[in-house]
Amino acid sequence: MPVTPGIRRLLGCLVALTLPVVLAPPLPAAADAAATVTGTTAEAAPAPSARSSAASPAAAADIVLPGTRVTLREQAADALKVSSYSLGRTTYLRRGAGFTRQSTYQEITVAPKGGKALAVPTSYRSGYDTAVLLDLAASKGIVIRTVRKPLVAHHAHWSRDGRKAVLTVQRKSGSAWVTSGFVIVDASARTAKPTIVAKVDKAARFRWSSDGSDVVAEYQGGTRFYGQDGAVRRTLTKTGRPAGGEDAFTPSGRSLMTWCPSTYTEHVCVWDRTSGRLAAKVPGIRPKALWGWWDEKQFIAVIPSGGHYQVVLSTLQGKVTRVLAAFAAADWNAKIYLGYTRR
């Protein structure tokens, strides 16, 4: 999709449009409508075993995710749980005791506490990219315009209080998508405010700071904090890019996890948010992905294990304390992502 002149003008004058939609409860596979939560059943192939000496099989429950070879190992006391997942552009949402396929959405991100979610449809609507604000308890939703075609807004992240979500705005440049700015969706006002960011890193992906006052993204091998108006507030240089998952900050907000700079032997680094000083370099572990913090001293990582992959908890000393999930290499190659939500 070519980028037309006047992107700043298009974004600057964009008014969010809200359109009411009614969400259906999980339905048979034949039911499929735009801007609804629909349910389909999928036959799941046997998943690799998630058992290991670090896990506690007696205390865990196995859940095989539809359409994948993924086995979750959850415990009732867990502070986080998988609330949605995606396999390429196919998305599933947790509904009751199971997961249902959402054929009209390419991603769904559930807010903390699980009362609402933000979904990104698979196609433009009337010349705009949109986000659907879902009330999961009431089974209702609102469609909100985010950016005008040919821009896109995706990779949603919720603030910790669940009041706002931020999405990354991208444009096509040749065969690649590059970042232009962000959109903030206000869940109470049901509006979206897009912002173009000057000199933004082309690979930036926006998420919230721990206190919800700023948004944070990669910047030239470091971490940059932006005000909600796009103004630069602070830059931590040479930290490496912020880690993936729903939240790169510890629950207390004191520490930031990143992928270590390339000059380091270690792959995972932890930084003091206030001083910007290095707090830890995690030895031994070489993750394929980082999916956020579990608590102050453990984080969620995806690691290869034999011919498959495991989602594990790791300490800052690089010790695996528990296996949260296991899946086949085919799922990893198909771009599996598990969205963990804090209860």
Side-chain angles (χ1 to χ4, degrees):
M1 293 183 290
V3 177
T4 57
I7 288 178
R8 288 179 183 273
R9 180 182 61 80
L10 287 175
L11 286 177
C13 68
L14 183 61
V15 177
L17 172 68
T18 60
L19 299 171
V21 293
V22 178
L23 299 179
L27 297 173
D32 180 15
T36 61
V37 175
T38 60
T40 65
T41 57
E43 193 69 28
S49 173
R51 296 176 183 272
S52 77
S53 58
S56 177
D62 286 352
I63 302 174
V64 179
L65 299 183
T68 75
R69 292 175 57 88
V70 177
T71 298
L72 299 183
R73 295 190 58 75
E74 296 187 336
Q75 297 179 12
D78 288 347
L80 286 82
K81 68 176 182 179
V82 175
S83 56
S84 65
Y85 65 94
S86 59
L87 190 69
R89 289 173 63 87
T90 303
T91 302
Y92 293 78
L93 176 65
R94 195 164 201 153
R95 300 282 279 169
F99 293 83
T100 57
R101 182 176 176 177
Q102 308 301 310
S103 59
T104 58
Y105 303 133
Q106 60 179 291
E107 68 173 81
I108 297 180
T109 306
V110 179
K113 307 299 182 183
K116 52 183 172 286
L118 198 70
V120 178
T122 56
S123 59
Y124 290 111
R125 187 184 183 117
S126 301
Y128 287 87
D129 206 4
T130 59
V132 182
L133 181 62
L134 305 173
D135 183 330
L136 299 179
S139 293
K140 294 182 179 180
I142 293 291
V143 178
I144 304 173
R145 288 178 174 175
T146 53
V147 291
R148 192 190 298 269
K149 184 180 180 179
L151 300 178
V152 297
H154 54 166
H155 303 317
H157 289 267
W158 284 96
S159 60
R160 291 185 174 185
D161 60 12
R163 295 180 179 179
K164 295 182 178 181
V166 63
L167 299 92
T168 298
V169 174
Q170 293 186 314
R171 60 180 175 83
K172 198 72 173 288
S173 177
S175 61
W177 288 94
V178 298
T179 297
S180 300
F182 58 85
V183 173
I184 292 178
V185 174
D186 187 313
S188 297
R190 299 176 177 180
T191 58
K193 181 181 179 181
T195 299
I196 283 293
V197 177
K199 299 180 180 179
V200 67
D201 195 296
K202 292 181 179 180
R205 177 169 169 173
F206 288 91
R207 72 223 34 227
W208 292 96
S209 61
S210 54
D211 63 2
S213 61
D214 299 328
V215 293
V216 180
E218 174 185 0
Y219 180 74
Q220 296 185 357
T223 303
R224 175 161 280 185
F225 292 69
Y226 298 87
Q228 295 182 38
D229 59 356
V232 176
R233 294 286 182 85
R234 185 184 183 202
T235 303
L236 304 180
T237 61
K238 300 180 180 180
T239 62
R241 70 182 187 276
E246 303 308 312
D247 200 335
F249 294 90
T250 52
S252 69
R254 290 192 292 268
S255 299
L256 166 69
M257 179 168 56
T258 70
W259 292 96
C260 291
S262 59
T263 54
Y264 290 26
T265 301
E266 296 81 5
H267 287 226
V268 184
C269 284
V270 180
W271 306 83
D272 183 280
R273 178 185 59 83
T274 303
S275 67
R277 294 177 181 174
L278 181 65
K281 293 185 291 183
V282 182
I285 191 168
R286 293 176 174 268
K288 292 293 185 180
L290 296 171
W291 286 350
W293 288 94
W294 188 262
D295 53 31
E296 289 294 310
K297 298 181 179 180
Q298 297 180 103
F299 58 89
I300 306 170
V302 179
I303 60 173
S305 178
H308 62 280
Y309 290 81
Q310 293 180 335
V311 183
V312 302
L313 291 184
S314 173
T315 68
L316 298 183
Q317 291 73 44
K319 179 182 177 181
V320 172
T321 61
R322 181 178 159 193
V323 177
L324 299 175
F327 52 88
D331 291 310
W332 177 253
N333 294 336
K335 302 185 185 302
I336 186 75
Y337 176 74
L338 307 184
Y340 282 86
T341 299
R342 198 164 293 277
R343 301 190 193 209

